Amino acid sequence: INRQARNRAVILLGVGVNYHNAHTAQGWETKIRPCLNVGLRDKSIALDHDRFSYCPCPTAGLVDWQKLRDKATHAADTLIFKHYDRPILFPGSTGYPTISNVWSEGTSLTSTAVILGCYNRVLTNTYHGALWSARMGCKVVLWKPFSSRFVTGLPIRLPVANDATELERCWDVWETAKYQSDVQQALTLDYDHLYAFCDEVRTILS
């Protein structure tokens, strides 16, 4: 990115600062500083850098989430949405329907959102699994989050379970109407941030 940005105008839209476990990302600010404009999906990090703007994951604007959510039935109980190389395993977990973040031919964001909308609860260890499930109005629990993106990259704080006992307590968090309302309100504000960043880009390019 650094090399490309020195030769042409580069704009980063909703990129993430991401590191796994205890490993920290080093020097990422220097690598992207030459870019014309930078929108980070990590809100707390973006607000600490006057050179960067907050811009949520661009998938917020790729489909009409409100329309899809209005059609959601949430009739089925629980879905597991797993990372392709990190299985979600606990006593009884194999009895739940499961999808992964590896798409087969013909899969799209819309078709995935429709599947999510069929379920009341989603247990996931993928960033987009958590984000899209919440946008579809599902009750979401993060399973053993392994990356910083689950903390700084999501616009909402979701319950975290590291074992089956914690999982039951996490589902209880969603039983309060205020929590559900706060999550949807935060996601709604995200659309405004995305479009505000796009307006910044239009101004720069005009």
Side-chain angles (χ1 to χ4, degrees), residues 9 22 37 79 103 117 119 122 139 158 163 173 179:
N37 201 7
L79 174 72
W103 285 358
Y119 291 87
V122 176
K139 299 170 183 176
L158 295 170
D163 56 44
V173 172
Y179 182 78

Side-chain angles (χ1 to χ4, degrees), residues 71-185:
K71 294 181 178 180
T73 63
H74 302 295
D77 184 33
T78 304
L79 174 72
I80 290 179
F81 193 153
K82 71 180 184 70
H83 193 277
Y84 71 93
D85 66 350
R86 292 176 181 266
I88 296 178
L89 298 174
F90 57 90
S93 62
T94 56
Y96 291 105
T98 301
I99 61 174
S100 82
N101 60 344
V102 174
W103 285 358
S104 58
E105 185 177 354
T107 305
S108 66
L109 179 53
T110 297
S111 65
T112 301
V114 169
I115 291 173
L116 296 174
C118 294
Y119 291 87
N120 181 39
R121 309 191 301 187
V122 176
L123 177 64
T124 186
N125 59 356
T126 83
Y127 170 84
H128 288 103
L131 184 59
W132 299 341
S133 298
R135 291 199 187 284
M136 286 302 294
C138 305
K139 299 170 183 176
V140 188
V141 171
L142 293 173
W143 179 261
K144 296 183 179 180
F146 57 88
S147 165
S148 64
R149 61 178 174 262
F150 295 105
V151 179
T152 61
L154 289 170
I156 49 179
R157 287 298 178 95
L158 295 170
V160 172
N162 291 292
D163 56 44
T165 301
E166 291 182 357
L167 179 58
E168 290 308 312
R169 290 198 294 265
C170 288
W171 292 130
D172 290 341
V173 172
W174 282 96
E175 296 310 310
T176 61
K178 184 180 185 306
Y179 182 78
Q180 296 183 38
S181 174
D182 288 347
V183 167
Q184 291 307 316
Q185 183 176 16

Side-chain angles (χ1 to χ4, degrees), residues 55-75:
C55 177
C57 174
T59 57
L62 291 182
V63 298
D64 188 335
W65 290 102
Q66 182 65 57
K67 183 177 180 180
L68 289 169
R69 189 166 61 248
D70 289 344
K71 294 181 178 180
T73 63
H74 302 295

Side-chain angles (χ1 to χ4, degrees), residues 15-19 40-46 54 127 147-157:
V15 296
V17 179
N18 181 53
Y19 51 90
L40 295 178
R41 72 183 183 190
D42 306 83
K43 189 173 185 177
S44 59
I45 297 176
Y54 172 56
Y127 170 84
S147 165
S148 64
R149 61 178 174 262
F150 295 105
V151 179
T152 61
L154 289 170
I156 49 179
R157 287 298 178 95

